[in-house]
Amino acid sequence: GDRIRNRGLTAAMVVLAAVATPVIFISSTIYSGNVMEFNFSIWNMLKPLALFCLVAWLTGIVIILSTPELISKYLISIFTALSLCFWVQGNLLVWNYGVLDGGSIENGKYIIQAVIDSAVWITIFGLFILFSKRVNLYAWKIALVLIVIQSISSGIAIAKKQDTPSFHSYAIDESTKYTFSKEKNVVVIVLDAFQGDVMMEILHEHPEYKSDFDGFTYYPNSLSAYSKTYAALPAMLTGQWYENREPIQQFLATAFEEHSVTRELVDCGWRVDLFPLVERTIHFSERIASNIVPRVDGAGNAREAGRLMDVALFRSSHHFLKNFWINDYQWQASRFFAVVAPFFSKDSKQHNAVEHPHPAVNFIQEADLYASTELSRPTFKLYHFNIPHGPFMLNERLEIERLPSCRAGYVRHSIAGIEIVRRFLDVFRKIGIYDNTMFLILSDHGGGEYRSPINRGLLPGKISLNEIKNNSIPAEHMQSGLPLVLIKAFDSSGE
């Protein structure tokens, strides 16, 4: 009985270390501000993450205890080795894989990384299995040390973290995402990282868009304020320039509260709905937008928990396992959490009837189904799409396709973005509010990161000349400086 009890306690501890190591690691990283792509309160992730970890933990314990004692000893050594490898990989063997733009990680480009990872993992697993008898004596102590070390670092990160950002305490209500006014609407569509000269190229190759975008004016002589979304989108809505003299979330609070066009519209009685691609780019307040509500979005938290787990497992795994977690950009853990997300939501008004692998296509299909003109007051809507931003996974026919990571793939992905917008405009024609809607189709910045050299022949002469004169500036900065600007005023018509 004592032997079984000790084996059970050891199994519980080593499996816990293996399960908790990536979670504790990524949580402390987020709290300390080192991972900026995922800004949300870890406490709001607790329920879905706890479910995931509990299932994994109990499964590991059952596997160990249901096998003969000799085999279970090896399994305990394997779980102990796994937790140690997770810690070493996530903290010491952190490789730069560049922008995840839709292609798999090419092993041929990372031979050194693969060799180092393999040497470390094989050595740790080999020694722990070879000396499994001795490892079993100290397995629970090794697991405890790993958990304590990471818990301490996580505690320090939590203690040092700044004030909770506004988007941790509020959620975005999507119940009026496709509801508009019969009288007046202003719709802003942000196509992330759409490069200005690419639009001119598309118009040359697809002249039919000139009539499809009836009433629009295309401005090829536009420049972006910033090369990254974090500052570019707030600049659009507030007109304020961020110079990194204060924490950006403090800047956003002041800029949106005192200078934003959305605040003025709310004060004037407009219905303002914001749907940012990345929540941290706006200040969350009921004074800023009508669809920002003081509650926790359970389903959204569950989906973000999936992204959290995917990042943890991606960073903590051996080089050859990273493509497994990416899973053609249908990330493994995210798929699980997407299934359980509805169980964490109390909001029955979310539009969940349509499911498509690409969110932009999912959006346009939902808009076609749900768009209506039920609002009695004028509306302002902002929709932010992750297209043509990488990964390049959508072709010009709006089919899922892995496009090449070069200008050709970037242009095809850009055409998909224009096609999404074109179909969205058709929705407004169908429900009879195209003429009394003002559209602003913008990008926050140009491509920059996507090997999309500027087509100088399609740019206004002055911009092209300046790009040549300033050849000391890196090409990606020049590219990111060229945004898309397409505007249709109220009751405007013509090519």
Side-chain angles (χ1 to χ4, degrees):
D2 289 340
R3 292 171 62 186
I4 294 175
R5 183 167 56 254
N6 291 337
R7 185 155 57 106
L9 292 174
T10 301
M13 185 61 74
V14 298
V15 175
L16 178 62
V19 171
T21 293
V23 177
I24 295 176
F25 160 73
I26 200 67
S27 302
S28 62
T29 305
I30 289 172
Y31 263 119
S32 61
N34 294 328
V35 177
M36 298 306 297
E37 288 78 4
F38 304 92
N39 283 290
F40 45 79
S41 171
I42 196 64
W43 303 116
N44 290 341
M45 304 298 108
L46 186 58
K47 289 182 180 179
L49 274 178
L51 174 63
F52 186 96
C53 294
L54 181 62
V55 170
W57 182 55
L58 293 177
T59 301
I61 294 174
V62 169
I63 291 174
I64 292 176
L65 296 182
S66 62
T67 57
E69 185 174 354
L70 179 61
I71 297 177
S72 69
K73 287 182 178 180
Y74 285 107
L75 289 177
I76 288 173
S77 295
I78 289 172
F79 273 102
T80 308
L82 181 62
S83 61
L84 181 58
C85 285
F86 274 161
W87 184 85
V88 171
Q89 188 77 47
N91 290 274
L92 305 178
L93 303 180
V94 183
W95 310 121
N96 181 6
Y97 289 99
V99 177
L100 300 180
D101 58 4
S104 298
I105 295 174
E106 299 179 24
N107 293 326
K109 293 183 178 180
Y110 301 97
I111 296 176
I112 295 176
Q113 291 87 337
V115 170
I116 294 175
D117 283 6
S118 298
V120 171
W121 283 65
I122 290 172
T123 299
I124 292 176
F125 271 91
L127 290 175
F128 275 55
I129 293 174
L130 182 62
F131 300 101
S132 60
K133 186 175 181 179
R134 182 172 292 274
V135 168
N136 270 248
L137 296 175
Y138 301 101
W140 70 271
K141 294 181 180 179
I142 297 173
L144 180 61
V145 168
L146 287 172
I147 293 173
V148 169
I149 289 174
Q150 294 172 95
S151 298
I152 291 174
S153 63
S154 183
I156 293 173
I158 293 173
K160 290 183 177 180
K161 80 180 186 71
Q162 299 172 352
D163 294 338
T164 302
S166 61
F167 52 81
H168 287 182
S169 305
Y170 289 82
I172 293 177
D173 177 16
E174 296 192 355
S175 60
T176 58
K177 189 172 186 176
Y178 308 107
T179 309
F180 304 93
S181 166
K182 292 181 180 179
E183 305 301 326
K184 182 179 289 187
N185 305 281
V186 175
V187 176
V188 179
I189 302 171
V190 180
L191 299 178
D192 201 288
F194 197 115
Q195 198 164 298
D197 62 302
V198 172
M199 186 65 202
M200 185 72 82
E201 188 173 313
I202 292 173
L203 289 174
H204 274 71
E205 297 178 0
H206 300 272
E208 65 274 12
Y209 283 135
K210 292 185 178 182
S211 57
D212 289 338
F213 284 76
D214 178 41
F216 276 86
T217 299
Y218 166 50
Y219 296 88
N221 57 336
S222 303
L223 297 174
S224 52
Y226 294 92
S227 62
K228 299 297 179 185
T229 305
Y230 204 174
L233 190 64
M236 287 184 189
L237 295 174
T238 70
Q240 299 302 295
W241 185 258
Y242 178 63
E243 295 187 348
N244 202 27
R245 295 180 177 178
E246 61 182 320
I248 190 167
Q249 286 299 318
Q250 292 182 18
F251 165 81
L252 292 183
T254 302
F256 273 91
E257 291 282 359
E258 298 181 3
H259 303 284
S260 67
V261 64
T262 60
R263 164 73 190 278
E264 293 194 29
L265 290 173
V266 169
D267 290 345
C268 290
W270 283 55
R271 170 81 196 190
V272 175
D273 290 337
L274 303 179
F275 302 98
L277 178 66
V278 183
E279 292 184 346
R280 69 176 184 273
T281 56
I282 66 172
H283 174 62
F284 274 55
S285 167
E286 296 156 283
R287 294 156 56 90
I288 300 303
S290 311
N291 68 326
I292 292 177
V293 293
R295 61 174 172 80
V296 175
D297 177 12
N301 284 337
R303 289 190 293 270
E304 293 301 326
R307 299 175 67 199
L308 171 72
M309 184 62 71
D310 275 319
V311 171
L313 293 172
F314 177 85
R315 179 160 177 167
S316 302
S317 294
H318 185 283
H319 170 83
F320 289 125
L321 289 176
K322 295 187 187 296
N323 277 328
F324 170 78
W325 295 118
I326 292 176
N327 189 36
D328 273 345
Y329 293 83
Q330 304 296 316
W331 297 77
Q332 296 285 5
S334 294
R335 294 168 62 198
F336 167 79
F337 281 95
V339 173
V340 303
F343 296 101
F344 295 93
S345 177
K346 298 179 181 179
D347 190 350
S348 61
K349 295 183 179 180
Q350 304 296 323
H351 298 290
N352 294 321
V354 179
E355 291 294 339
H356 188 278
H358 199 286
V361 178
N362 194 66
F363 169 87
I364 199 62
Q365 291 179 348
E366 287 187 341
D368 190 48
L369 284 175
Y370 300 122
S372 65
T373 56
E374 298 176 0
L375 295 177
S376 57
R377 50 180 172 154
T379 71
F380 177 97
K381 308 273 188 180
L382 182 141
Y383 306 99
H384 189 175
F385 299 121
N386 195 33
I387 185 170
H389 190 288
F392 306 154
M393 301 296 289
L394 198 66
N395 66 24
E396 52 278 288
R397 296 181 298 278
L398 303 188
E399 301 167 340
I400 296 295
E401 177 185 350
R402 179 182 292 171
L403 304 176
S405 302
C406 59
R407 182 179 173 86
Y410 175 74
V411 171
R412 291 180 64 190
H413 205 213
S414 299
I415 295 174
I418 294 299
E419 184 62 21
I420 289 289
V421 175
R422 186 191 68 79
R423 296 191 188 189
F424 192 35
L425 298 180
D426 286 342
V427 171
F428 285 81
R429 295 186 179 98
K430 185 175 74 171
I431 62 178
I433 58 171
Y434 184 81
D435 290 335
N436 58 350
T437 299
M438 179 180 183
F439 293 97
L440 297 93
I441 303 170
L442 314 169
S443 65
D444 45 358
H445 53 78
E449 300 281 356
Y450 303 117
R451 289 180 281 177
S452 51
I454 297 171
N455 190 336
R456 294 193 185 99
L458 299 179
L459 285 175
K462 188 175 181 180
I463 291 181
S464 180
L465 180 62
N466 282 334
E467 194 236 343
I468 296 172
K469 287 169 59 179
N470 292 281
N471 58 11
S472 61
I473 298 175
E476 61 268 23
H477 296 330
M478 284 293 193
Q479 294 155 17
S480 67
L482 296 178
L484 172 69
V485 177
L486 276 168
I487 299 177
K488 184 194 86 70
F490 296 108
D491 299 311
S492 179
S493 62
E495 267 199 355

